[in-house]
Amino acid sequence: MSNFHIVLMGFFIGIIGTGAGGTITYLYRKPTNRFLSTILGFAGGIMLSVVTFDLLPHAFEIAGLNVGMLGLIAGVLIVVFFEDILPEKGKRNNYLKEGIIMGFAIAIHNFPEGLAVGSGFMSSSSFGLSIALVIALHDIPEGIAMSTPLSIGGVTPFKNMLYAILAGIPTGLGTIAGVYMGEVSPFFIALNLGIAGGAMLYVTCGEMIPESRDLYRGRISVFGMIAGIISGIIITRVL
């Protein structure tokens, strides 16, 4: 697969993933907390799978444990930095502000996901495809999580879908960086995979899973997370 097609796929999965999540406001204007808890738990489980069973093992295999861990730590620190410069969320009834902040957060962490796609394809086509599929699937509930409070705050379904699509564009930009940095040396491939893994790990453990538990206190979020982990394992093993 050429670099152009890899980059095109990066933009495609980001736009389609979050965009598909945004379109749910056409069908389901006010999802219940139970529903959101389930899909966020599922998305978190998928991300844990791709990080622990795909991204980090490939980084360690390509350039060793030290480089992979360096990337992981850097990825965590990058997300923490951007998280600190974002304004704090408002009260829960301030849905419009919450949706906007969620959109910024998704756009920021979509960039390292693109790094994972680009670097994954530079490692092998099958690995790149598995990463791309998992990220596309996990972007759907993120689009829902962003669009739902915006919808409740009065944003029209069309604008909701447009904002979700815009939030997915950084995935393509990250793919460009992953491809061209990966062409330099295996060191940069492994480093980018580690960075993406660290960023995803922080967002999953620090935001998605806790949020899924806060939304609904029943066991459904745990079942969703377990289903996501199993799905991620199947996806990463089959592709």
Side-chain angles (χ1 to χ4, degrees):
M1 184 179 293
S2 68
N3 289 352
F4 173 78
H5 289 102
I6 294 172
V7 170
L8 194 63
M9 179 174 289
F11 279 104
F12 180 78
I13 64 170
I15 290 172
I16 293 299
T18 55
T23 59
I24 198 171
T25 55
Y26 278 100
L27 307 172
Y28 198 7
R29 296 296 180 91
K30 295 183 180 180
T32 63
N33 283 354
R34 192 171 187 268
F35 174 76
L36 287 175
S37 176
T38 304
I39 61 170
L40 284 176
F42 181 78
I46 286 181
M47 295 311 297
L48 286 178
S49 282
V50 73
V51 169
T52 56
F53 299 119
D54 242 356
L55 285 180
L56 295 182
H58 272 80
F60 300 151
E61 180 183 345
I62 292 169
L65 179 64
N66 291 340
V67 175
M69 291 302 295
L70 176 64
L72 187 151
I73 295 170
V76 171
L77 293 177
I78 289 170
V79 176
V80 169
F81 170 77
F82 282 110
E83 188 178 61
D84 286 343
I85 66 175
L86 284 174
E88 292 293 326
K89 284 185 180 181
K91 294 181 179 180
R92 276 213 172 267
N93 61 354
N94 193 350
Y95 293 110
L96 189 60
K97 182 178 179 181
E98 183 175 344
I100 292 171
I101 294 173
M102 177 69 76
F104 276 118
I106 291 171
I108 288 169
H109 99 267
N110 275 350
F111 184 82
E113 289 182 357
L115 280 178
V117 174
S119 299
F121 273 107
M122 297 309 294
S123 175
S124 71
S125 294
S126 60
F127 180 45
L129 283 171
S130 67
I131 295 296
L133 178 58
V134 169
I135 288 175
L137 289 174
H138 123 273
D139 279 350
I140 294 174
E142 283 194 352
I144 296 172
M146 167 189 168
S147 299
T148 299
L150 289 177
S151 178
I152 298 173
V155 176
T156 64
F158 176 77
K159 286 185 177 179
N160 242 323
M161 183 178 66
L162 180 62
Y163 295 151
I165 288 173
L166 290 175
I169 289 177
T171 305
L173 301 177
T175 303
I176 295 173
V179 167
Y180 289 101
M181 289 179 69
E183 284 187 330
V184 176
S185 72
F187 171 86
F188 282 106
I189 295 177
L191 187 66
N192 286 337
L193 292 176
I195 289 173
M200 293 179 191
L201 196 61
Y202 183 88
V203 171
T204 300
C205 297
E207 296 178 15
M208 297 180 72
I209 293 176
E211 180 71 11
S212 72
R213 295 292 290 162
D214 288 342
L215 283 170
Y216 189 79
R217 286 295 180 177
R219 295 191 181 98
I220 192 67
S221 65
V222 179
F223 291 146
M225 184 171 64
I226 293 172
I229 291 173
I230 293 172
S231 299
I233 292 172
I234 293 172
I235 291 169
T236 56
R237 294 303 96 189
V238 170
L239 293 179

